[in-house]
């Protein structure tokens, strides 16, 4: 029985890879057919990728509201990319009413999973005081973590925010960012 279950899981993972390959080849009808089937079964990665296709208008009419629904289904299952994208939709007001606090919520959930885009965007929210009180120390922390996670713009933004901080605040932010990394983002704010 175990072998059968493993086989079924592998087949479905293969289906997702087939869908992503089809999407990359711009075979949107095939990608959509596979992704819709997997998404209906609750596959978070398929739901996320359907959200991307609706957001970008790939093989379907661009529909931000539909994209939000797919992102939400995947985000509620803990998919960091979907959480980050759902945060972006709330932050920009695409497909939903713009709500910065809701954007922060989703960015934070993705950021503590190591999502570089979410870490960068959370830094932006703190730097601008959108959805949270303006806090340059926290902005610096999240920009630093985003930089380590691979976001190319995070270093520039971190350095810009640092110009608005005291040396003590910079030291505090550096220590907090290092602590977040050591704890693998557990307990980070």
């Amino acid at each position: 029985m175990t072998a059968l279950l493993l086989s079924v899981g592998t087949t479905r993972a293969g289906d997702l890879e087939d869908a992503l390959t089809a999407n990359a080849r711009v075979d949107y009808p095939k990608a959509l057919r596979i992704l819709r089937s997997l998404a209906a079964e609750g596959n978070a990665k398929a739901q996320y990728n359907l959200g991307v296709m609706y957001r970008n208008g790939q093989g379907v009419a661009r529909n931000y509201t539909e994209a939000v629904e797919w992102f939400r289904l995947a985000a509620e299952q803990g998919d960091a990319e979907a959480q980050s994208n759902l945060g972006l939709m709330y932050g920009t007001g695409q497909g939903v009413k713009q709500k910065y606090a809701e954007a922060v919520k989703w960015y934070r959930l993705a950021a503590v999973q190591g999502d570089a885009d979410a870490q960068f965007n959370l830094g932006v929210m703190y730097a601008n005081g959108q959805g949270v009180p303006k806090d340059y120390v926290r902005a610096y922390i999240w920009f630093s973590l985003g930089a380590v996670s691979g976001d190319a713009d995070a270093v520039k933004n971190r350095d810009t925010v640092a110009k608005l901080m005291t040396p003590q605040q910079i030291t505090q932010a550096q220590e907090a960012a290092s602590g977040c990394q050591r704890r693998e983002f557990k307990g980070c704010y």
Side-chain angles (χ1 to χ4, degrees):
M1 183 68 170
T2 303
L4 177 62
L5 293 175
L6 292 175
S7 174
V8 170
T10 303
T11 300
R12 299 315 280 165
D15 288 347
L16 181 60
E17 287 302 315
D18 289 347
L20 298 178
T21 300
N23 192 16
R25 288 193 324 259
V26 193
D27 184 355
Y28 297 135
K30 180 177 181 180
L32 285 165
R33 181 175 33 78
I34 297 169
L35 289 174
R36 283 183 175 133
S37 174
L38 292 170
E41 295 173 7
N43 183 298
K45 280 296 174 196
Q47 292 166 342
Y48 161 72
N49 281 287
L50 274 175
V52 171
M53 292 184 79
Y54 276 100
R55 183 193 62 212
N56 296 339
Q58 296 171 315
V60 293
R62 177 173 283 164
N63 185 328
Y64 294 133
T65 303
E66 188 76 14
V68 165
E69 290 310 311
W70 288 114
F71 287 148
R72 184 180 316 284
L73 287 170
E76 288 173 348
Q77 294 186 66
D79 185 274
E81 289 177 299
Q83 291 167 338
S84 183
N85 278 273
L86 188 55
L88 186 63
M89 301 302 270
Y90 274 106
T92 59
Q94 292 179 316
V96 291
K97 183 177 179 185
Q98 187 176 49
K99 295 181 183 175
Y100 291 135
E102 192 71 10
V104 167
K105 168 190 161 182
W106 291 108
Y107 287 148
R108 186 179 316 282
L109 288 169
V112 298
Q113 292 184 68
D115 186 282
D117 291 333
Q119 291 167 339
F120 174 84
N121 287 326
L122 194 52
V124 169
M125 301 304 270
Y126 276 113
N128 295 330
Q130 295 173 314
V132 290
K134 187 178 283 191
D135 186 331
Y136 294 134
V137 170
R138 288 184 181 180
Y140 187 103
I141 291 167
W142 287 111
F143 287 140
S144 293
L145 294 170
V148 170
S149 295
D151 190 290
D153 294 323
V155 172
K156 181 178 72 169
N157 281 33
R158 182 198 61 207
D159 293 345
T160 299
V161 167
K163 293 175 185 173
L164 304 170
M165 299 168 63
T166 67
Q168 294 80 9
Q169 289 174 317
I170 293 170
T171 299
Q172 175 190 3
Q174 289 170 338
E175 289 172 358
S178 293
C180 280
Q181 276 186 280
R182 280 193 308 276
R183 294 186 311 274
E184 298 178 348
F185 310 110
K186 290 176 179 59
C188 297
Y189 57 97

